[in-house]
Amino acid sequence: MAIDLLYFAWIREAIGCDGETVDPPDNVTTAAELIDWLSARGDGYADAFADKGRIRVAIDQEFAGLEKPLAGAREVALFPPVTGG
Amino acid sequence: MMPVIRLQHAVFDPVAECAKLELGDAGAVASFTGLVRGEGGLVALELEHYPAMTEEALKRIAADAAGRWALAGLTIVHRVGRMAPGERIVFVGAASRHRGDAINAMHFVIDWLKTDAPFWKREEFADGHSAWVEAREGDAVQREKWSDRTKKGCRGAAPLSGK
């Protein structure tokens, strides 16, 4: 099923766009698996996701752990740890 | 109590924000203003955020604070975009009958804002290089210290005198 991806901060810069719509295969069921699948798409992706410990996720605009099932998610955002305030 | 939450490019006036908080049923107003530090040759700070999510994240933090302390008012103003050293970035103001609720709520909101709202800072320096600010482990520690306090415990202590 199609998922809208959003990228922020240095992940956006490494990949070279602020988002895209993807249609991952059925065996991609969690955010971590989505990241692995994206990493195989090319250098920018591999660079952006080289250290999964530095990746944070929001699924349908809710912060989520990397192991959270995507379960029909419409929008997944991938970004570094937040640094506001 | 309806929290006031604003995301904006424009500068804000902390004095005016505090004055508005005084108009409610308040005996105390506590506020925090965060500024761009101009250290290390910094010439600009760029604040990126996740527009569809940011306001909701701030509303959630505000609602959490309102559930923990008896507040007469709560204001969060966070700027986005490009800022120069010395400029204001963020304002948190809380009003309550007695000082403890306002001070604790203000402190809680700024601590949680650091870890639970989708903002990212990029620093630009005089020599032309720029770098994304790394999250500080201390921020997560600051956030967690609020988990140790029960909701009632924060407002349970009787005031020793006045406000």
Side-chain angles (χ1 to χ4, degrees):
Chain A
M1 206 178 83
I3 301 175
D4 289 328
L5 297 181
L6 296 173
Y7 309 126
F8 293 99
W10 49 259
I11 292 175
R12 168 176 59 73
E13 290 181 337
I15 293 171
C17 67
D18 60 8
E20 60 189 313
T21 301
V22 297
D23 196 352
D26 291 346
N27 63 352
V28 172
T29 62
T30 64
E33 288 168 2
L34 177 67
I35 290 168
D36 289 338
W37 178 72
L38 288 167
S39 296
R41 301 179 100 200
D43 287 349
Y45 294 91
D47 289 347
F49 301 128
D51 180 358
K52 248 191 250 170
R54 298 180 73 204
I55 310 298
R56 299 291 180 272
V57 179
I59 298 177
D60 288 332
Q61 299 171 12
E62 297 266 357
F63 289 121
L66 290 184
E67 298 310 320
K68 174 142 181 170
L70 297 173
R74 309 274 294 270
E75 181 174 295
V76 175
L78 300 166
F79 44 79
V82 300
T83 54
Chain B
M1 193 280 299
M2 182 66 103
V4 173
I5 290 166
R6 297 204 314 271
L7 284 163
Q8 60 189 49
H9 281 84
V11 291
F12 57 82
D13 177 358
V15 176
E17 300 300 338
C18 285
K20 278 182 259 177
L21 284 164
E22 290 173 8
L23 297 176
D25 183 25
V29 173
S31 74
F32 172 87
T33 302
L35 310 172
V36 179
R37 278 187 299 271
E39 55 199 11
L42 184 99
V43 291
L45 184 76
E46 182 91 31
L47 240 141
E48 179 171 329
H49 74 127
Y50 180 178
M53 189 176 163
T54 316
E55 191 169 340
E56 208 51 46
L58 297 181
K59 275 187 195 163
R60 196 167 300 180
I61 294 168
D64 203 343
R68 288 171 180 241
W69 295 283
L71 299 180
L74 179 62
T75 300
I76 304 173
V77 183
H78 206 303
R79 289 178 66 202
V80 294
R82 199 177 161 84
M83 287 157 239
E87 283 190 41
R88 300 169 189 135
I89 309 175
V90 61
F91 173 87
V92 176
S96 59
R97 297 274 296 161
H98 298 284
R99 73 175 184 280
D101 288 329
I103 292 169
N104 281 312
M106 174 274 291
H107 197 174
F108 170 89
V109 169
I110 191 62
D111 281 351
W112 276 60
L113 217 155
K114 291 257 173 201
T115 56
D116 287 62
F119 294 102
W120 300 273
K121 291 187 183 121
R122 184 166 67 175
E123 296 174 328
E124 296 176 25
F125 297 92
D127 65 4
H129 92 278
S130 68
W132 292 95
V133 173
E134 292 284 334
R136 294 168 55 230
E137 198 176 329
D139 289 340
V141 173
Q142 282 291 111
R143 173 196 194 272
E144 281 316 304
K145 82 178 184 207
W146 295 102
S147 310
D148 299 339
R149 305 182 189 184
T150 63
K151 292 184 181 193
K152 281 207 168 78
C154 295
R155 46 191 286 204
L160 292 171
S161 64
K163 298 173 185 167

